[in-house]
Amino acid sequence: MRLPIRHVQQNLIFTTHGTAWAVWRVAATNYSHAPAAVKRRRLKALEGLFKAMTGEPMVLSG
């Protein structure tokens, strides 16, 4: 199978169909002993990131 990738520049992937993908990674951090306020700040930051996405965002988790 041939992938429809035309160009890769840093974390952006441009396809032959005219769409672009951004790839990034959120580093895992152990928050099991962190205070609740720290956990809430991290959650708010990630929620803000995902809510700001436009178009057809897809979040993959591994």
Side-chain angles (χ1 to χ4, degrees), residues 3-38:
L3 297 175
I5 295 174
R6 181 177 55 113
H7 181 72
V8 177
Q9 182 177 348
Q10 295 177 358
N11 70 321
L12 298 176
I13 300 171
F14 299 91
T15 69
T16 57
H17 301 94
T19 58
W21 292 71
V23 180
W24 74 95
R25 178 181 177 170
V26 177
T29 306
N30 185 355
Y31 282 96
S32 58
H33 300 292
V38 172

Side-chain angles (χ1 to χ4, degrees), residues 26-62:
V26 177
T29 306
N30 185 355
Y31 282 96
S32 58
H33 300 292
V38 172
K39 291 178 183 179
R40 275 194 300 275
R41 275 197 309 270
R42 178 66 166 210
L43 178 61
K44 292 270 185 204
L46 291 175
E47 283 179 344
L49 170 71
F50 295 130
K51 288 178 181 178
M53 292 180 170
T54 59
E56 298 179 28
M58 180 185 342
V59 178
L60 303 176
S61 176

